[in-house]
Amino acid sequence: MSKAKISYPKIGIRPTIDGRQGGVRESLEEKTMAMAQEAKKLIEENLFYADGTAVQCIVASRTIGGTGDAGIVYEEFLSQNIVATLTVTPSWCYGTETMDPDPHTLKAVWGFNGTERPGAVYLAAAIAGYNQKGYPAFKIYGRDVQDMGDDRIPADVHDKILSFAKAAIVVGQMKGKSYVNLGSSAMGIAGSQVNSSFFNKYLGMTVDFVDMTEILRRMKLEIYDKEEYKKAFSWIEANCSEGMDINKGKKLSEIIQKSKVIHPDEDWSFIAKHALITRDILYGNDKLAELGWKEEARGRNAIAGGFQGQRQWTDWLPNGDFTEAIMASTFDWNGPKQVTAFATENDTLNGVSMLFGSLLTNKAAIFSDIRTYWSPEAVERVTGKSLSGKAQNGILHLINSGASALDGTAAARDDAGKRTMKEFWNMSEEDIQACLSETDWCRANYEYFRGGGFSSHFKTAAELPVTVIRINLIDGVGPTVQLAEGYTCVLDESIHKILDERTDPTWPTTWFAPRIGEKGFESVYSVMEHWGSNHGAFVQGHIGADILTLASMLRIPVTLHNVPKEKIFRPALFDGYGTKDLESVDFEACRNLGPLYK
């Protein structure tokens, strides 16, 4: 990959103070700066950028007692790529005189809950000022009173600071990057008909359009690192075992026989080059410059992408399933690597869903069809057995055409030896080999993919907390978010086999049970009923609250979620639209504010 210097988005910490010199300000300097340093330590020790680097915070060089100090700090932050500011104080300060004056930063205020000085009063005054100016700011105030000398960050404040900072860093990492659109619309899927305005106005991203023939050009002219190709191909031969060939015994039609232009024995060689070239298109590769291909070496400033494939490619060439799976995984032939949100069938909206999930967790996002709802009654009718445990109320079959990240096996192990999904920097060689050993690669069904190829095939063999995410575009509304927290399920093997083989048995399967009980989640069936598209992406962890926080920063309303009300953390400005019907409040606030990048 091309090694460009990275300017990481940062959190600016603004220690504000009562500016009255002559006893008041002096008495508060130490406590105010201590709060700022504790907030910086908290963020930097717990949050990471997508490449594994610890998130960086910049503490202002001075406390801010008025507009003069605020102006100096504003100038300090201008050159630091500050995407968000956290203002902290233990006391009363002059509200609008000490606030962050930059209209382009995301904002939060932490007012210390202590009785010696009225930090809560400042917090309320500052938030009122932000609201009047139309700057959405997050309000952070601990539930329990602390002593002035207590520098610990309470648990509830801890969680809100991290929630704010985590989402803000996601916003910062997307800004200025591109979604690389390889191909065009796949099979009439609405999400693959890219909407550049959505990327520009809501995510601060550009869309880079690359025809799929660019891959063929680079293959023909050998615009790839031949040494790395040999390494990748050898790794595939050693680690990617072939599974079933669903085509065996079939009498294939003449049209299919004519369409297979790459000999089956050459599929893996073609696929290895496809994977290398796709990565280079997104990110560049310094090696290409050494080979004389300087333009190609630069890449396209990507953070995500997608490959159309079907049908103009897959009707005559090996499919992109391996490329899509390995791009989205935490490893490849070079070992552990940063994951890439990379959309099958170029479903750009599911690519963004993957991007949200992977940036919030730094783990692989699994692309899936929301294929089938299996009621307990239907399962018992078909298999003669009953669902139990987390699956007892019914399950959703998450499955797609073999392009899911291999982390979806849940074959990696945590320190206690339990199955999990990990950040790439925590993936050991044992974890990688475990994911590979639980995955086989089934030859593509020629009836679907005339050009052949291979699909990753595995099952998620662990009960994990996960969140399924989907972005939709609604005419007259704009982008919306849906999410469902729940658990992956391990079914009785006989149940799994019968249900799995009723669809394509060469694709990866995850059985998912959403947590029911909230509105819209009255049953598992209701989740299937309300889901806005044929695709979704899941990541490990119940991160619904973080997604709601991120969506509020981007001004994207959330139409379906099962996050408990007490966990919802949005800008205090939203309270100005009401506090009872939170879904309507979300819509109205996002509509009035408009997209983040107008």
Side-chain angles (χ1 to χ4, degrees):
M1 290 173 60
S2 180
K3 292 181 171 60
K5 184 178 179 182
I6 300 174
S7 176
Y8 292 106
K10 303 176 184 68
I11 305 291
I13 312 292
R14 305 177 70 256
T16 57
I17 200 166
D18 188 326
R20 285 173 284 199
Q21 211 80 43
V24 176
R25 181 167 186 159
E26 294 87 345
S27 69
L28 294 167
E29 289 281 358
E30 184 176 344
K31 174 64 179 180
T32 306
M33 273 299 184
M35 286 180 67
Q37 292 297 335
E38 284 299 312
K40 170 183 167 71
K41 179 181 177 183
L42 172 67
I43 294 169
E44 293 185 341
E45 288 183 352
N46 286 278
L47 302 183
F48 300 88
Y49 299 110
D51 67 358
T53 303
V55 165
Q56 299 170 17
C57 296
I58 304 295
V59 174
S61 64
R62 62 181 61 212
T63 54
I64 301 167
T67 52
D69 294 324
I72 292 171
V73 172
Y74 169 77
E75 293 290 340
E76 289 177 357
F77 284 178
L78 278 180
S79 63
Q80 296 289 338
N81 194 16
I82 300 295
V83 66
T85 60
L86 172 63
T87 298
V88 303
T89 189
S91 68
W92 165 254
C93 313
Y94 300 161
T96 57
E97 295 181 17
T98 58
M99 66 166 48
D100 173 10
D102 189 345
H104 304 296
T105 54
L106 302 163
K107 308 177 197 308
V109 183
W110 170 27
F112 183 79
N113 185 0
T115 55
E116 292 86 347
R117 298 282 184 175
V121 178
Y122 168 72
L123 175 62
I127 291 297
Y130 282 124
N131 289 349
Q132 285 187 33
K133 293 178 181 294
Y135 296 166
F138 290 80
K139 185 176 183 179
I140 302 174
Y141 181 63
R143 177 177 293 274
D144 297 321
V145 172
Q146 291 179 262
D147 298 331
M148 183 62 87
D150 184 359
D151 290 332
R152 294 174 298 174
I153 299 179
D156 55 343
V157 172
H158 171 286
D159 292 346
K160 286 185 176 181
I161 289 176
L162 289 184
S163 182
F164 168 77
K166 187 187 301 182
I169 290 299
V170 171
V171 173
Q173 288 181 99
M174 291 190 295
K175 184 180 180 181
K177 291 295 185 178
S178 65
Y179 179 97
V180 177
N181 189 84
L182 281 162
S184 184
S185 175
M187 303 181 295
I189 294 172
S192 73
Q193 297 169 4
V194 63
N195 185 303
S196 294
S197 179
F198 162 60
F199 281 91
N200 300 159
K201 293 181 178 179
Y202 286 89
L203 308 181
M205 293 172 57
T206 60
V207 179
D208 208 354
F209 294 88
V210 180
D211 195 281
M212 291 185 292
T213 55
E214 173 64 5
I215 297 172
L216 296 178
R217 181 183 79 91
R218 295 194 186 201
M219 284 190 185
K220 180 67 175 178
L221 300 180
E222 297 185 322
I223 308 174
Y224 55 87
D225 183 344
K226 296 182 184 63
E227 290 304 312
E228 188 176 6
Y229 159 70
K230 292 177 184 177
K231 181 180 182 181
F233 186 68
S234 295
W235 183 84
I236 289 170
E237 287 189 310
N239 294 285
C240 298
S241 60
E242 292 188 22
M244 69 179 294
D245 183 352
I246 201 170
N247 306 294
K248 281 188 176 179
K250 291 182 179 179
K251 292 183 180 179
L252 301 175
S253 69
E254 183 180 353
I255 191 170
I256 292 176
Q257 293 179 50
K258 287 181 178 179
S259 294
K260 185 79 175 83
V261 299
I262 303 296
H263 192 279
D265 292 343
E266 297 297 320
D267 274 359
W268 276 120
S269 174
F270 184 96
I271 288 166
K273 293 173 186 176
H274 185 284
L276 281 173
I277 289 168
T278 299
R279 182 205 62 191
D280 290 350
I281 289 172
L282 266 68
Y283 297 117
N285 188 341
D286 292 337
K287 184 68 175 180
L288 301 184
E290 297 175 23
L291 299 172
W293 301 98
K294 294 183 180 180
E295 181 182 359
E296 290 81 356
R298 296 187 180 98
R300 293 177 178 270
N301 192 36
I303 194 172
F307 179 66
Q308 175 197 335
Q310 298 187 71
R311 287 183 43 205
Q312 286 77 5
W313 180 278
T314 58
D315 272 7
W316 68 297
L317 295 169
N319 64 23
D321 283 7
F322 175 82
T323 295
E324 293 157 8
I326 213 68
M327 289 283 284
S329 296
T330 54
F331 59 87
D332 62 11
W333 49 89
N334 292 315
K337 67 165 184 66
Q338 180 178 331
V339 302
T340 296
F342 198 79
T344 303
E345 295 155 355
N346 195 35
D347 184 346
T348 60
L349 297 180
N350 215 48
V352 175
S353 304
M354 296 174 75
L355 185 60
F356 283 6
S358 64
L359 289 179
L360 283 169
T361 65
N362 290 316
K363 297 181 180 182
I366 313 300
F367 185 112
S368 298
D369 277 354
I370 312 297
R371 177 63 65 101
T372 308
Y373 162 66
W374 279 101
S375 68
E377 295 78 14
V379 171
E380 189 165 1
R381 177 182 64 81
V382 169
T383 70
K385 295 188 175 182
S386 300
L387 295 173
S388 60
K390 292 284 196 299
Q392 64 183 325
N393 296 310
I395 47 176
L396 299 179
H397 193 178
L398 308 185
I399 181 172
N400 194 259
S401 56
S404 295
L406 275 56
D407 300 75
T409 58
R413 303 278 177 166
D414 63 19
D415 292 341
K418 295 182 179 179
R419 285 175 171 267
T420 189
M421 293 170 65
K422 292 182 175 181
E423 304 86 352
F424 81 87
W425 59 85
N426 287 322
M427 289 291 285
S428 66
E429 183 58 31
E430 291 76 16
D431 291 326
I432 294 172
Q433 287 302 317
C435 291
L436 289 165
S437 67
E438 294 192 17
T439 305
D440 57 22
W441 295 86
C442 300
R443 194 169 288 279
N445 186 337
Y446 290 155
E447 294 168 15
Y448 284 136
F449 302 106
R450 297 173 187 170
F454 290 90
S455 293
S456 63
H457 172 243
F458 59 79
K459 63 181 178 182
T460 303
E463 185 181 285
L464 299 177
V466 296
T467 305
V468 186
I469 313 162
R470 176 67 195 184
I471 309 293
N472 297 302
L473 285 176
I474 309 299
D475 185 45
V477 177
T480 63
V481 177
Q482 295 180 314
L483 66 92
E485 293 184 343
Y487 293 87
T488 60
C489 300
V490 180
L491 304 186
D492 178 279
E493 184 58 30
S494 63
I495 298 178
H496 164 79
K497 184 175 176 62
I498 292 171
L499 301 188
D500 201 40
E501 291 184 355
R502 286 176 68 101
T503 184
D504 195 306
T506 68
W507 296 344
T509 277
T510 300
W511 302 107
F512 172 65
R515 188 179 67 244
I516 59 177
E518 298 285 337
K519 287 185 178 179
F521 288 76
E522 292 82 6
S523 66
V524 177
Y525 175 79
S526 65
V527 179
M528 184 77 173
E529 181 76 357
H530 295 312
W531 205 253
S533 178
N534 54 310
H535 291 151
F538 76 83
V539 289
Q540 185 180 1
H542 286 161
I543 64 163
D546 290 332
I547 295 170
L548 265 63
T549 297
L550 173 61
S552 70
M553 289 179 176
L554 300 170
R555 289 81 179 279
I556 301 175
V558 180
T559 61
L560 179 72
H561 71 83
N562 56 347
V563 177
K565 181 179 179 180
E566 62 271 15
K567 289 188 175 182
I568 296 175
F569 187 40
R570 289 177 171 136
L573 177 66
F574 284 43
D575 290 344
Y577 293 88
T579 56
K580 291 183 178 180
D581 185 350
L582 297 188
E583 191 169 284
S584 295
V585 162
D586 189 23
F587 267 84
E588 186 68 9
C590 290
R591 184 184 67 82
N592 281 351
L593 289 168
L596 182 58
Y597 305 99
K598 297 178 184 176

